[in-house]
């Protein structure tokens, strides 16, 4: 992002430090609200652009720079969420939130990547794991905004009401409805198993060995596998359900995936897999595990959603 210069007299903009200091929080907020890294970046850019369209007098009248930026960014996100359903009805196949790599696992990252600009990092917690983000997609835009602002970012309902233009009571009801959706979608939700990485590793080994028995043993009987190619690459258009069906589907993929190597990598803060061909990332796999069985597999192959994994572009 390019910060605009200060006023004509050449003196530094007194709000510059405050603006820069808010960037990371805005990126974190927008990514959780939209489930899209690229859209989150666009929202933050647009938010700053609106700030700099105001006169210095208008800027000086703002009591809280952070509060103003949050309000504008949230309202932009809310408008995007309202239009997203129509856009996703035209999306080819299933839509999955964009997967997020660890800073050190981005191309060119290395062990020192985490020490880069902290404004470009999203805090990797339970509110960005893929299972959580997928459930958010089933909430209404208003529910999602009220829930994220209050339950994740700990804004009071009075503050949420001021941001979204509803009463505190209405925002409380929206957040309560969102929590019910979360409970209904994940009634058997448990903390991440201690051996999550081991289960993913065993899955990888069974898949590479084309061992259908081992695969079925690692999959929940009601497992669901979802692919997102966005019409850009070949992907299953509808979810595949059931342990044996998913296992056989995976074996079919393995037969076609000539030259593909699977790497164990963190995806949205949890153990996952990255598929590479000739050193280039072609798909990212995220998993939801309950106990010692895999309940959901999300495979993202849409190149537009893999840019953080393939180009080294700094996204949140």
């Amino acid at each position: 992002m390019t910060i605009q210069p200060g006023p004509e007299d050449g003196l530094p903009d007194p709000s510059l430090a405050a603006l820069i200091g808010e960037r990371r929080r805005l990126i974190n907020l927008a990514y959780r609200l939209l489930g899209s890294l690229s859209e989150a970046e666009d929202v933050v850019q647009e938010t700053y652009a609106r700030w700099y369209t105001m006169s210095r007098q208008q800027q000086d009248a703002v009591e809280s720079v952070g509060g103003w930026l949050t309000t504008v960014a949230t309202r932009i996100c809310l408008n995007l969420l309202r239009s997203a359903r129509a856009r996703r009805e035209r999306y080819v196949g299933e839509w999955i939130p964009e997967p997020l790599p660890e800073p050190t696992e981005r191309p060119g990252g290395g062990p020192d990547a985490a020490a880069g600009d902290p404004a470009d990092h999203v805090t990797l917690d339970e509110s960005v794991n893929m299972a959580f983000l997928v459930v958010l997609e089933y909430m209404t835009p208003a529910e999602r905004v009220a829930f994220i602002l209050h339950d994740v970012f700990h804004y009071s309902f009075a503050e949420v009401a001021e941001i979204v233009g509803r009463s505190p009571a209405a925002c409380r009801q929206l957040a309560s409805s969102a929590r019910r959706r979360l409970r209904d979608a994940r009634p058997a939700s448990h903390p991440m198993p201690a051996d999550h990485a081991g289960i993913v590793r065993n899955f990888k080994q069974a898949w590479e060995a084309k061992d259908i028995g081992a695969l079925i043993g690692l999959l929940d009987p009601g497992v669901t596998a979802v692919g997102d190619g966005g019409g850009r690459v070949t992907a299953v258009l509808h979810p595949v359900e059931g342990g044996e069906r998913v296992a056989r589907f995976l074996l079919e993929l393995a037969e076609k995936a000539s030259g593909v190597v699977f790497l164990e990598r963190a995806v949205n803060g949890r153990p996952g897999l990255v598929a590479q061909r000739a050193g280039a990332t072609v798909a990212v796999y995220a998993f939801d595990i309950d106990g010692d069985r895999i309940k959901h597999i999300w495979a993202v192959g849409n190149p537009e959603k893999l840019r953080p994994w393939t180009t080294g572009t700094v996204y949140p």
Side-chain angles (χ1 to χ4, degrees):
M1 181 192 70
T2 301
I3 298 293
Q4 299 297 322
E8 290 77 2
D9 58 12
L11 294 176
D13 184 345
S15 64
L16 183 60
L19 286 168
I20 294 175
E22 292 295 324
R23 177 176 168 79
R24 181 174 186 178
R25 187 174 57 81
L26 294 174
I27 289 288
N28 272 274
L29 174 63
Y31 175 67
R32 285 161 175 80
L33 287 176
L34 300 174
S36 168
L37 295 170
S38 55
E39 288 186 357
E41 180 73 10
D42 289 343
V43 165
V44 175
Q45 294 283 70
E46 174 63 19
T47 300
Y48 280 112
R50 292 188 186 186
W51 172 264
Y52 279 107
T53 62
M54 297 194 301
S55 67
R56 171 53 66 84
Q57 184 178 9
Q58 291 173 316
Q59 293 173 356
D60 290 342
V62 174
E63 293 184 9
S64 168
V65 173
W68 188 93
L69 293 171
T70 298
T71 298
V72 172
T74 300
R75 289 174 179 173
I76 295 173
C77 287
L78 187 55
N79 289 335
L80 286 173
L81 287 170
R82 286 169 175 160
S83 65
R85 295 195 173 190
R87 287 186 287 114
R88 288 173 191 170
E89 286 178 359
R90 300 190 297 270
Y91 193 81
V92 178
E94 298 290 322
W95 191 95
I96 299 174
E98 294 183 33
L100 188 70
E102 296 274 2
T104 55
E105 292 172 357
R106 295 177 178 132
D112 297 327
D117 185 355
D120 292 322
H121 299 165
V122 156
T123 303
L124 298 177
D125 59 22
E126 284 302 293
S127 64
V128 295
N129 78 69
M130 188 62 73
F132 186 86
L133 291 176
V134 168
V135 174
L136 293 180
E137 290 296 312
Y138 293 94
M139 298 180 183
T140 68
E143 286 173 343
R144 185 167 183 168
V145 169
F147 175 76
I148 292 295
L149 285 175
H150 180 267
D151 286 43
V152 177
F153 285 85
H154 309 297
Y155 284 86
S156 69
F157 283 119
E159 292 170 317
V160 176
E162 186 174 347
I163 292 172
V164 301
R166 300 200 182 199
S167 70
C171 292
R172 186 184 299 275
Q173 182 59 39
L174 286 168
S176 177
S177 176
R179 292 187 208 106
R180 284 196 300 272
R181 288 181 184 270
L182 193 62
R183 289 193 298 268
D184 291 344
R186 298 179 57 75
S189 179
H190 298 289
M192 183 175 69
D195 197 30
H196 189 138
I199 294 170
V200 171
R201 182 175 301 114
N202 291 339
F203 172 86
K204 169 182 175 289
Q205 293 171 349
W207 194 4
E208 291 173 333
K210 301 177 184 177
D211 186 338
I212 189 169
L215 282 173
I216 292 175
L218 289 164
L219 300 174
D220 185 270
V223 64
T224 300
V226 182
D228 180 346
R232 303 286 302 278
V233 298
T234 301
V236 60
L237 294 179
H238 303 286
V240 180
E241 300 178 349
E244 185 172 347
R245 288 189 63 198
V246 170
R248 294 191 181 282
F249 172 72
L250 291 170
L251 292 187
E252 291 176 7
L253 285 182
E255 292 292 344
K256 300 174 183 177
S258 175
V260 172
V261 176
F262 292 97
L263 306 175
E264 296 175 42
R265 295 289 186 268
V267 179
N268 285 61
R270 289 193 171 186
L273 295 176
V274 171
Q276 292 189 342
R277 179 183 287 113
T281 296
V282 294
V284 172
Y285 294 82
F287 301 87
D288 182 28
I289 298 175
D290 186 2
D292 59 354
R293 297 290 186 96
I294 297 172
K295 292 193 68 174
H296 295 93
I297 303 171
W298 295 282
V300 179
N302 184 345
E304 292 185 355
K305 295 184 178 182
L306 297 180
R307 284 179 291 176
W309 304 82
T310 59
T311 66
T313 301
V314 179
Y315 284 99

